Amino acid sequence: MTPRRGLAAFLAGLLLLAGIAGCGIPEESEVRVDGQVTAARSGSSSYRRDEPPGPTASGTDRSAFVTNFLSAAAGEADRAYYRVKQFVAPDGRSRIQEKQPSEVALTVVRLRETPVITETTDGIKVTLRVQQIGLLRADGTLVPPVATDTEYRFKLSAAQEDKPDAGWFVKDPPPNVLLLSDDALRQYYQTHTVYFWNTDRTRLVPDQRYLPLAVPDERRVTEVVKWLTAGPSEWLGSGTSRLPDGTRLINNATESDGQWEVNLDMPVDADDKRIEQLIDQLAWSLPELDGQLELKIHNQSRKKVPDLAAHRRANPAYPITDDPQRFCVYDGAVHPLALAGEASGQVPVAAAYNKGVVSAGFSRSGDAVLAALVTTGADQRQRLTVGAGAVPVSIFQRSPQSYASMGRPVWLRSLDPERPQGLVVADGRLYRFDGNAQLRVVPLTVEGGVTAVAASLDGHRIAAIVGGGLYVAAVNLNGGVVSVGPARRLVTSLTDLSAVDWATENSLDLAGSVGRPAVYQISVDGALETALRNDVGARVTHLSTYPLNPVVPFSSGNLMYEANGVAYRNNPFDTIKRDQVLEVTPPPAGVRAGNPTAPFFLY
């Protein structure tokens, strides 16, 4: 398959995933940024290879000129300064000091409002009121913002005073900063996932990058391989493994008659197992390729893969095999949910323990199920009950501690079925728990009360709401002990954050407020936002998703949440009704039926 045909097939798959994830977004939703829902669609709707428009493309339209100025830095790093300086008046270009292409970092901002353009006696002034999102580096990573500016000001002048139609120049641009709007990030970059092994090299961990659409097809494989040799994003460092120091690509990756060749220089000779693992990384990091791949080390052939697509099917990035199943809590017990077009399951918990339940978290582990139940007793205190085994799980342990309140428990998808680990928030602190329901505090690198936690599909990343802010962090499970790496705060337009879960490999569904309760989707680096529902009606107190992924796709809505004691689902957004709850006895005549609450997925 040629690079362009392979790329076209890859994009078709991405758009399909985007369509699936986006199902159920109501018409009144204000889509701020395309994501995956968002992430897969970012920059791929038109899939242009051209660079952003130049300074004359807007004609005399000042607003369009400002918009184009905020996209000028997009594209390949070696031309970023050139493109931006074309917008700047010659006498102001010295305010932007150039750096080497590898050191270029774009200041990504979200406009809080339409740019304000005013004519004054001192000239045409432009005011940008912004939210700092992060720095986009030449290696495709978006790191936390360094700048704290909430406003940028500059002036516009006619490009040629004697020719009013010649367009505009920027006068007095912000010094030594290359601005890029989040809209331009979406339009001129494609999000791309690369994969790194966790620290014990048992599963792959996704890492989101941004690839300029201006990069030619024939060089895209080269750029991705360079990302792998350079190592994971900083925030993932404590939970992932790098290739040996000094590993680099020899020349560019090449393609001939549908076969790609990657030639690496490694300072140490890799054994066959490491070569196989490197092939897994390449196969999953290059999903647009489905033909042959040859890996060379020091110009010597080490591995030939005849069919990359088949290799991915035989070697999934992380262990997940079956479609997810929906459950909820009804009258203090877990019950299956039946939605049209979906298979429903049985409650994997013995009836003797399925009592007094407030919320629950289930996870598949081989042929067994891990079950964690938050229960309440006569004293109105909440405790965690944990069990594991074949369905129905009938051996449980109960935590000796009790709490005033506990959040939804989540399992870390560890490969060791003998040492399951999970996380739960209780009374404002984050705890880890094991199969014996022993709770121990998990230290975090940020201060503040913890109100929610979510675990990624790979089991080595978490999202948490701490002190009112949204954070992500890598998780290390070495030795059966859960340790959380440095937390990275994500920028979001939402306030009063109340619930979070993983929507895809590299995006989160987040509940909060934009003046009224809302649910947004946000990329794992905070750059891309989509309003899934702008007016929920009440504060969301519980949220659960099935993370959309390339291993086991899911064609139905993958989001459920609870607000004001009522459960909802998406695709389309609607309440989860009493008659969709299975294995319940109808109430006596004249007695009002209860509402299903705390919906969640088993996968």
Side-chain angles (χ1 to χ4, degrees), residues 31-359:
V31 179
R32 297 177 58 89
V33 177
D34 294 331
Q36 190 193 357
V37 187
T38 47
R41 294 181 53 119
S42 172
S44 63
S45 57
S46 61
Y47 219 78
R48 297 186 294 182
R49 288 290 180 272
D50 55 316
E51 293 182 344
T56 61
S58 55
T60 59
D61 188 329
R62 295 179 297 194
S63 295
F65 176 83
V66 172
T67 297
N68 292 345
F69 175 59
L70 294 177
S71 69
E76 298 200 66
D78 60 349
R79 288 176 54 83
Y81 284 101
Y82 170 80
R83 292 190 297 270
V84 171
K85 287 186 175 183
Q86 301 311 299
F87 282 78
V88 178
D91 60 357
R93 292 173 183 172
S94 61
R95 291 170 60 89
I96 304 176
Q97 298 178 3
E98 297 195 23
K99 295 181 179 180
Q100 295 295 319
S102 62
E103 299 175 337
V104 171
L106 311 185
T107 299
V108 183
V109 296
R110 179 176 295 126
L111 294 178
R112 291 184 175 273
E113 58 186 48
T114 302
V116 178
I117 303 174
T118 55
E119 293 193 32
T120 71
T121 55
D122 194 29
I124 302 172
K125 295 185 177 180
V126 179
T127 301
L128 306 177
R129 296 184 175 93
V130 304
Q131 183 180 44
Q132 297 286 342
I133 293 178
L135 280 178
L136 180 62
R137 292 178 172 171
D139 65 359
T141 59
L142 193 139
V143 299
V146 175
T148 58
D149 304 82
T150 58
E151 190 172 277
Y152 290 101
R153 296 174 180 266
F154 50 86
K155 297 179 181 179
L156 298 184
S157 65
Q160 296 184 39
E161 292 186 4
D162 58 338
K163 293 184 178 181
D165 295 337
W168 307 97
F169 272 143
V170 172
K171 289 183 64 68
D172 303 323
N176 299 324
V177 62
L178 299 180
L179 294 176
L180 184 74
S181 70
D182 61 338
D183 286 336
L185 178 67
R186 177 185 69 243
Q187 187 170 3
Y188 296 105
Y189 292 81
Q190 177 200 0
T191 55
H192 192 107
T193 302
V194 291
Y195 294 81
F196 293 89
W197 286 101
N198 61 357
T199 52
D200 58 5
R201 309 186 73 84
T202 54
R203 70 180 56 188
L204 292 170
V205 180
D207 185 4
Q208 177 165 286
R209 304 297 177 94
Y210 294 90
L211 185 66
L213 296 181
V215 174
D217 286 346
E218 62 271 15
R219 219 180 68 237
R220 295 169 69 79
V221 174
T222 295
E223 294 302 309
V224 171
V225 176
K226 286 181 178 178
W227 291 344
L228 290 176
T229 60
S233 297
E234 292 177 2
W235 73 277
L236 289 176
S238 63
T240 52
S241 298
R242 305 171 64 97
L243 295 177
D245 289 344
T247 300
R248 65 178 182 85
L249 184 64
I250 300 175
N251 301 320
N252 287 339
T254 59
E255 186 265 347
S256 177
D257 296 328
Q259 175 175 303
W260 280 90
E261 178 184 294
V262 173
N263 190 8
L264 296 179
D265 178 16
M266 280 188 172
V268 296
D269 189 31
D271 58 27
D272 290 343
K273 182 178 180 180
R274 288 296 176 93
I275 292 296
E276 290 287 348
Q277 291 180 331
L278 179 52
I279 288 292
D280 290 346
Q281 278 186 271
L282 290 169
W284 280 100
S285 300
L286 297 167
E288 68 270 31
L289 303 185
D290 56 8
Q292 302 177 60
L293 174 73
E294 181 178 13
L295 176 63
K296 291 183 176 181
I297 306 294
H298 304 301
N299 300 308
Q300 301 297 313
S301 181
R302 292 296 302 270
K303 180 72 176 181
K304 290 184 178 181
V305 181
D307 186 334
L308 283 168
H311 186 90
R312 286 188 290 271
R313 289 191 296 270
N315 300 273
Y318 28 76
I320 180 170
T321 56
D322 297 318
D323 286 340
Q325 296 174 347
R326 300 177 191 259
F327 294 87
C328 72
V329 174
Y330 184 85
D331 282 349
V334 174
H335 290 271
L337 285 170
L339 270 64
E342 296 183 26
S344 58
Q346 69 178 100
V347 177
V349 173
Y353 296 94
N354 194 13
K355 299 176 181 179
V357 179
V358 177
S359 65

